[in-house]
Amino acid sequence: MNDSSAPDGARLRLTYEAFCRTHERAWRGFARTQVGAHQDAAELVVADMKRHLHRNWELALRQEIPAAYAWRLLKEHIGSWLDTQAQPTAVQTAALDAVISGFCRRARWSLENLPEQLGLLSAILALPERQRDIVVLTYCLDLDDDEAAAYLSTPATTLRSNRRHARRRLAAAIGRPDLAEKEVEA
């Protein structure tokens, strides 16, 4: 991004900074769910993504939904970071342990034993990417439907439908179909 002293350059800088302030909490939260105990790594991944976004800010503004463009960049940067790790699956599994507790709390699911918890972890990992993102965004990061939908460039009604399907899949995977219908407003 051209950061000249011209009014357009200042306006671009201000819009970029405001955009980052608005979305950075969700970016960091999501990065933490992907890189696990590597807290510093989550910060580095988000910082790298922000630099990438800064360089391409004018392109981001031309997108129909700039938040969805930034979300794709974040996921690319997380993927690149995971590719550099010796055991990326172990990193993601550790990260998803926090996702499980957040999901159970928000979804009001009570899992009594370790096999159910491990089953939920496996089921979350097996979800299609879109549904996995929805689970993390709405249940773990506590984003409202409209905000989560904007990141995924989808209508809120579609997000809710995908979330219901994800809940059903997760409940079936752990042998607790009774939990699927206990939807709470996310």
Side-chain angles (χ1 to χ4, degrees), residues 1-4 8-17 20 50-61:
M1 177 174 78
N2 183 358
D3 221 4
S4 69
D8 285 344
R11 187 174 308 124
L12 284 173
R13 181 181 46 76
L14 288 173
T15 60
Y16 167 78
E17 289 171 0
C20 288
K50 284 175 54 181
R51 282 190 292 276
H52 187 158
L53 181 62
H54 186 264
R55 287 190 307 270
N56 295 286
W57 184 237
E58 291 181 71
L59 173 63
L61 290 175

Side-chain angles (χ1 to χ4, degrees), residues 1 7 31 58 71 85 90 97 111 123 130 139-140 143 151 175 182:
M1 177 174 78
E58 291 181 71
W71 185 255
Q85 302 307 299
D97 185 45
L111 303 182
R130 172 68 49 119
Y139 291 112
C140 303
L143 298 184
Y151 286 127
K182 294 181 180 179

Side-chain angles (χ1 to χ4, degrees), residues 4-181:
S4 69
S5 59
D8 285 344
R11 187 174 308 124
L12 284 173
R13 181 181 46 76
L14 288 173
T15 60
Y16 167 78
E17 289 171 0
F19 182 84
C20 288
R21 277 192 301 277
T22 301
H23 299 286
E24 197 160 6
R25 181 186 71 82
W27 296 338
R28 283 192 177 125
F30 185 77
R32 287 181 190 122
T33 70
Q34 302 301 301
V35 302
H38 302 280
Q39 189 76 0
D40 293 339
E43 298 297 323
L44 291 172
V45 167
V46 171
D48 285 344
M49 183 281 289
K50 284 175 54 181
R51 282 190 292 276
H52 187 158
L53 181 62
H54 186 264
R55 287 190 307 270
N56 295 286
W57 184 237
E58 291 181 71
L59 173 63
L61 290 175
R62 290 193 301 268
Q63 303 302 306
E64 183 177 345
I65 303 173
Y69 174 79
W71 185 255
R72 286 189 303 273
L73 284 181
L74 176 63
K75 291 188 75 169
E76 287 174 18
H77 282 265
I78 289 169
S80 295
W81 183 87
L82 287 170
D83 287 344
T84 67
Q85 302 307 299
Q87 297 177 320
T89 303
V91 169
Q92 284 184 301
T93 300
L96 282 168
D97 185 45
V99 170
I100 289 171
S101 62
F103 175 84
C104 288
R105 177 183 47 77
R106 286 273 300 157
R108 297 186 182 157
W109 283 18
S110 176
L111 303 182
E112 290 84 30
N113 56 49
L114 184 59
E116 279 186 344
Q117 292 171 0
L118 293 173
L120 179 58
L121 173 61
S122 295
I124 290 172
L125 289 170
L127 285 174
E129 182 179 0
R130 172 68 49 119
Q131 289 180 1
R132 191 172 52 245
D133 285 353
I134 290 168
V135 164
V136 172
L137 289 169
T138 61
Y139 291 112
C140 303
L141 301 181
D142 294 329
L143 298 184
D144 66 40
D145 290 351
D146 292 329
E147 190 174 9
Y151 286 127
L152 301 174
S153 188
T154 191
T157 54
T158 302
L159 177 126
R160 286 188 287 274
S161 175
N162 282 321
R163 186 173 57 225
R164 276 191 304 278
H165 290 294
R167 286 176 61 92
R168 287 183 187 128
R169 280 183 153 175
L170 296 173
I174 63 170
R176 298 277 308 273
D178 59 301
L179 296 175
E181 300 309 319

